[in-house]
Amino acid sequence: SSSLFSLLLTRFWTGIMMMLHHGNYCGTLLFLVVVLMVTIAAGQDQFTALTSFYNALNGPAWGSVYGAWGTAAPICTWTGVRCNSTTSSVISITINNGYGPITGLAGTFPPFLGGLETLKSLTISGCNLTGTIPAELFDNTMLSYVDLSNTFISGPLPTEISSVPLQYIKLNGIKTFGGGFPSILADIPTLQEIYLDDMNLMGTMPSTFFASLSSLRKFSSNNNPISGTLPPSLGNAISLTQFSIQSHNMTGAIEPSLANCVNMEKLFLNTIYASRRGFSGTVPDWIGNLRNLNELNLSSNDLTGTIPSSWSALLNLTSIHMTFNRITGTLASIAEVIAPMTKLETLIFSVSQIEGTIPESLGNMPSLSLLSLGSNLLVGTLPENLSRMVVLTLENNRFSGTIPVTYNRTALASLWGNRLCPPYPTWCTTDCTPRWQTCDSLPPTTTTTTTGIAFNAASSIIRHNLNLATSPFA
């Protein structure tokens, strides 16, 4: 290849200079011969490994964008292959639909990439790759990045994976993986990012899983039916900045050792269905220790009590999702706690047991643009300064009086199911009517269940629009 030829010329020129300088003609000549043989052998090994991999996975059907693969073209020019600019050794392979359709890639994961001793990064995603991950892949002692998402490989992970300095692993969307939680990852202390979304993982998370993962920064295991409780070893993952377990079958208290993770920026511990409650206990006071937190989602749990005053220290928060819990206390007390949060943009406390009136201070928060307080026990009139909200959902409460003229359809307003009286704005002829209530009488108490959770189909739809369980940082 041209890159190999350039490398050979460089090394020969260096050898010639040494020969002229030292006069050691025989020794220098022998050195050049050895360099030549080693370089040619290494290049041939790389070509053989990549070509064998290509042929084993129906290479000619990969598509025209991968047309250089398997040809005499320099391997460093093959689509998705990246080489060291000095040595021409392969350091990265990326095969995914970012380069074009790869529907033709199909077959059992072959072992040939184990021959690429300098490989650091491997991405094969969005294709019909099947079988188990070959143990030979981890003969590459430099491998630090693996993305096999949205393929059809099966588990378990080979034990050899713990022998490489892996920093990043992404297995999202591998629904054929099967079995329990991949606990072997706990034996890789170099890991910094783990993504295990949509894998249909079952069973429990080992209690010691995070014990040796002090370098872990991001962890995501969304949309898996894992059960049990959060492991107490979480407190050892002191480098965590993002932690997400959404749509799960886990129960128990939110693990208090998370308080050790003071670098946390995004914390998502929620389900997406009202019928599937997750964590229980009182609203954690220790969350106030996570001073770097900017996104918090604890919705669809069974948390009780009031919002702790310690949360006032969370000055970097931009969003709080607490819908479908059993939060009590007055809205005024919540407003007092969040008052210092000048960056807060989203506040969702719908479907709970919050009482009182809406304080003017909420409408004065400088960054707040989405306010959702539907299906609570709120009373009083609607403050005019809430008209600045981009999204405002206050349905199914006990608000009375009239709708301020400053409210308009620039806000996605949901006001139905209150005691609001005419005249109704033209944009709100349906969404603002009392429905089963009247504007002069208290509503019936049938909107509150024995657990105090108000629920109806409409508020569920609104909640789903505001609280989707997606992988927020994969």
Side-chain angles (χ1 to χ4, degrees), residues 324-338:
F324 275 99
N325 279 287
R326 289 193 288 158
I327 308 300
T328 55
T330 65
L331 187 56
S333 64
I334 294 175
E336 184 177 351
V337 171
I338 67 173

Side-chain angles (χ1 to χ4, degrees), residues 37-49:
M37 294 175 63
V38 170
T39 303
I40 292 175
Q44 187 62 37
D45 287 346
Q46 292 187 139
F47 178 83
T48 300

Side-chain angles (χ1 to χ4, degrees), residues 1 3-4 7 38-54 69-71 73-78 81-93 112-120 140 142:
S1 69
S3 57
L4 182 60
L7 177 63
V38 170
T39 303
I40 292 175
Q44 187 62 37
D45 287 346
Q46 292 187 139
F47 178 83
T48 300
L50 290 174
T51 302
S52 299
F53 177 82
Y54 173 77
W69 278 69
T71 70
I75 58 175
C76 297
T77 66
W78 295 3
V81 176
R82 189 162 61 90
C83 298
N84 182 288
S85 59
T86 302
T87 64
S88 295
S89 56
V90 176
I91 59 176
S92 175
I93 299 174
F112 305 115
L113 297 184
L116 302 176
E117 297 180 353
T118 56
L119 187 66
K120 296 180 180 180
N140 303 304
M142 299 179 68

Side-chain angles (χ1 to χ4, degrees), residues 396-397 399 415-422 424 429-441 443-444:
N396 198 20
N397 278 286
F399 295 115
L415 304 175
W416 62 267
N418 285 289
R419 299 166 55 202
L420 299 170
C421 295
Y424 300 125
T429 54
T430 300
D431 292 338
C432 296
T433 56
R435 299 194 181 179
W436 58 81
Q437 307 175 34
T438 65
C439 65
D440 294 320
S441 62

Side-chain angles (χ1 to χ4, degrees), residues 246-313:
Q246 302 183 76
S247 188
H248 56 85
N249 289 332
M250 302 186 82
T251 56
I254 297 177
E255 174 53 44
S257 67
L258 272 169
N260 296 341
C261 305
V262 294
N263 297 307
M264 190 74 72
E265 297 175 0
K266 302 179 190 301
L267 180 60
F268 299 87
L269 296 172
N270 58 284
T271 61
I272 62 171
Y273 301 107
S275 59
R276 187 189 299 172
R277 289 307 175 90
F279 301 107
S280 57
T282 57
V283 179
D285 177 79
W286 53 261
I287 287 180
N289 295 337
L290 309 180
R291 306 295 174 86
N292 293 304
L293 201 64
N294 56 59
E295 293 184 46
L296 175 65
N297 191 334
L298 302 179
S299 58
S300 295
N301 286 299
D302 196 23
L303 301 177
T304 60
T306 59
I307 302 303
S309 59
S310 62
W311 286 26
S312 291

Side-chain angles (χ1 to χ4, degrees), residues 199-375:
M199 294 181 63
N200 199 32
L201 297 177
M202 300 181 185
T204 60
M205 196 180 298
S207 61
T208 59
F209 182 78
F210 295 96
S212 300
L213 300 181
S214 59
S215 297
L216 188 65
R217 295 187 295 107
K218 299 179 182 181
F219 178 87
S220 181
S221 178
N222 300 324
N223 303 316
N224 289 308
I226 54 175
S227 55
T229 59
L230 288 172
S233 57
L234 256 174
N236 293 70
I238 55 175
S239 299
L240 273 174
T241 61
Q242 300 179 10
F243 187 77
S244 179
I245 298 182
Q246 302 183 76
S247 188
H248 56 85
N249 289 332
M250 302 186 82
T251 56
I254 297 177
E255 174 53 44
S257 67
L258 272 169
N260 296 341
C261 305
V262 294
N263 297 307
M264 190 74 72
E265 297 175 0
K266 302 179 190 301
L267 180 60
F268 299 87
L269 296 172
N270 58 284
T271 61
I272 62 171
Y273 301 107
S275 59
R276 187 189 299 172
R277 289 307 175 90
F279 301 107
S280 57
T282 57
V283 179
D285 177 79
W286 53 261
I287 287 180
N289 295 337
L290 309 180
R291 306 295 174 86
N292 293 304
L293 201 64
N294 56 59
E295 293 184 46
L296 175 65
N297 191 334
L298 302 179
S299 58
S300 295
N301 286 299
D302 196 23
L303 301 177
T304 60
T306 59
I307 302 303
S309 59
S310 62
W311 286 26
S312 291
L314 303 176
L315 303 182
N316 291 305
L317 268 179
T318 61
S319 68
I320 303 175
H321 291 233
M322 297 291 292
T323 188
F324 275 99
N325 279 287
R326 289 193 288 158
I327 308 300
T328 55
T330 65
L331 187 56
S333 64
I334 294 175
E336 184 177 351
V337 171
I338 67 173
M341 303 177 188
T342 57
K343 299 178 182 179
L344 191 66
E345 300 172 359
T346 300
L347 183 66
I348 302 178
F349 273 90
S350 54
V351 195
S352 210
Q353 302 176 39
I354 301 169
E355 301 177 306
T357 59
I358 300 180
E360 292 273 343
S361 59
L362 274 183
N364 293 331
M365 295 192 70
S367 301
L368 191 64
S369 60
L370 190 158
L371 177 63
S372 179
L373 300 171
S375 296

